[in-house]
Amino acid sequence: MQINGTKALVTGANRGLGKAFVEALLARGADTVYATARRPDQITVPGAVPLRLDVTDAASIDAAAAEVGDLDILINNAGISTDAPLLGPSTDNIRREFDTNFWGTLNVTRAFAPRLAGGAILTVISALSWYAFAPSSNGYAASKAAEWSLTNGVRLELAGQKTQVTALALAIADTDMMASVDIPKLPPHEVVALALDGLEAGQLEVIADRPTANVKASLSRDPALFYADIPGALFG
């Protein structure tokens, strides 16, 4: 998959990783980059094509798909975290996380998949797709675990039309979502550079940082070893 000369669409493109994806795609020679958000007036990247897209709204997805037409690359970046525990007083915020992170990703993918024969999809998952860290992140983690499974399933279902499906997994980038966490963070442009290098190299999964690599490696071991000391397991 080569980015130069392609037509791409990025969800959640008004800030953070989404904005960095738009900038990087343009810098690598994409002919057209649709930068989508609920409020396209917040898109500030020169050369991008702002487009309204609410991934939780079927009519919005259909309208965007009709406007875009053919497509080479879809970047499923839109996501939310509400700090919802699984056993809190309400499941409303957990449902919001699944509506965006799982159902939003699936419905956008379904809308554009028929146009992506020979193209590529990159979906942003998380280190939290593979482990639970704290009660306030458990709803988000469950939705990202589902999104990882979705990504693997879509890869199989689109293999016949030769659509490459790549997952980007990361723990800690310097975005608004991680603003309250006081630990070292990767700049968004570094994460995106790794992701697009992996996309162009045909990788099915891009691991963006050491904490994520440590989590993925732990999956083959006794979980008691990992959960006994999560900070050490991540950063040791």
Side-chain angles (χ1 to χ4, degrees):
M1 182 71 227
Q2 296 302 305
I3 292 169
N4 185 54
T6 58
K7 185 177 182 183
L9 182 144
V10 182
T11 66
N14 55 312
R15 61 184 185 179
L17 288 180
K19 182 179 179 182
F21 268 117
V22 173
E23 293 170 338
L25 288 163
L26 288 167
R28 292 185 185 221
D31 282 347
T32 305
V33 179
Y34 289 95
T36 76
R38 287 189 177 97
R39 292 185 53 189
D41 59 293
Q42 295 179 342
I43 303 298
T44 59
V45 180
V49 180
L51 180 66
R52 183 182 184 278
L53 175 56
D54 179 349
V55 303
T56 67
D57 182 334
S60 176
I61 295 171
D62 290 344
E67 182 163 343
V68 169
D70 293 336
L71 192 67
D72 300 301
I73 300 172
L74 169 63
I75 308 289
N76 285 314
N77 166 74
I80 63 167
S81 176
T82 69
D83 295 330
L86 294 172
L87 303 179
S90 170
T91 60
D92 289 351
N93 279 339
I94 300 170
R95 290 179 183 277
R96 286 181 58 215
E97 288 172 330
F98 269 83
D99 282 346
T100 299
N101 302 342
F102 176 79
W103 289 109
T105 298
L106 176 58
N107 289 333
V108 169
T109 300
R110 287 172 59 89
F112 287 100
R115 304 128 186 258
L116 288 164
I121 299 170
L122 186 145
T123 296
V124 180
I125 58 169
S126 172
L128 287 172
S129 297
W130 301 316
Y131 81 115
F133 182 68
S136 62
S137 65
N138 285 343
Y140 176 80
S143 71
K144 284 294 182 175
E147 190 176 31
W148 176 49
S149 184
L150 178 163
T151 303
N152 291 334
V154 165
R155 181 181 301 121
L156 294 179
E157 294 187 25
L158 294 182
Q161 68 175 39
K162 300 188 183 306
T163 300
Q164 177 183 324
V165 179
T166 297
L168 166 65
L170 70 151
I172 307 151
D174 191 8
T175 64
D176 289 355
M177 186 180 291
M178 297 295 292
S180 63
V181 182
D182 187 18
I183 54 177
K185 305 167 192 175
L186 288 175
H189 72 271
E190 290 187 13
V191 176
V192 166
L194 286 171
L196 295 183
D197 286 348
L199 187 75
E200 290 196 306
Q203 291 178 232
L204 301 187
E205 197 167 83
V206 177
I207 305 296
D209 51 26
R210 189 177 70 179
T212 305
N214 289 344
V215 171
K216 185 72 183 292
S218 77
L219 294 178
S220 63
R221 302 197 298 267
D222 182 349
L225 299 175
F226 182 78
Y227 284 103
D229 181 14
I230 286 181
L234 286 174
F235 299 104

